[in-house]
Amino acid sequence: MTTAAAIVGVVIAGLALLRDYFGWEREEPGTAHTPAGVTGAPSPDGVAAPTTGPAAPTSGPAWVHLDSLPVASGAGNTVDLPRALRGTAGLDRAVAVRCPENVSGDKQREVTYELRRRYQDLTLTVRAHSPEDPQAPVRVTAYAAVRRPDDSGVDRLKRALVDAREGAPGKLAADVAGADGVILSVECQFPDSIVILTDTRITPA
């Protein structure tokens, strides 16, 4: 009996050592157990719900309107929307550009926006307002303006062009990554037409 009692005592002492020294103990069924490094209150089913960490930092906008950028040149070529189009749905952020006179030295009108190499993709819709002939075409060509490394000038790199007529808009998409500016050049069949740029979106680099 003495030997048996001694063995039982050793076993009990060993279990106590495991519990106190190693932090081991038997869990009762249904007892919540929270993994190391995770905090949280038990949910109704008895499982601890980990708390969420700090919110992820908010990223910048996916795109901005082109008309929110500074105009480097050609601001005088923009005009107000014709009275008949004011208040039309979808034209609240439109940029209207006057057409050239189609005489020597005035074959196209341009507006240049500053990009400072901070943007990469430009998309817009080209619409035409042509009182003389609704079928008269207009054209918009997008150029990336890239300053030369030696600062000796600016290169115009053609990126995209699109034609449109009144009632038949055209979609333009241009890659302007690395450009210091974007030049929008307007050509028209008739001088009294107006080119209207809508849905002008440009994505940050």
Side-chain angles (χ1 to χ4, degrees), residues 53-127:
T58 303
S59 59
W63 55 268
V64 298
H65 286 285
L66 183 64
D67 67 347
S68 67
L69 303 183
V71 177
S73 63
N77 291 327
T78 61
V79 295
D80 293 331
L81 283 174
R83 183 177 298 179
L85 298 179
R86 294 173 191 172
T88 301
L91 299 185
D92 53 317
R93 296 293 297 262
V95 176
V97 183
R98 71 173 77 245
C99 286
E101 293 295 331
N102 291 338
V103 296
S104 179
D106 190 13
K107 298 292 187 179
Q108 63 272 327
R109 297 289 175 89
E110 296 182 346
V111 181
T112 301
Y113 290 90
E114 292 184 13
L115 300 185
R116 302 176 184 178
R117 305 192 179 192
R118 299 175 181 173
Y119 300 89
Q120 56 186 3
D121 294 305
L122 170 67
T123 59
L124 55 85
T125 300
V126 178
R127 303 177 186 273

Side-chain angles (χ1 to χ4, degrees), residues 25-32:
E25 61 183 342
R26 179 176 178 273
E27 291 185 5
E28 295 298 329
T31 302

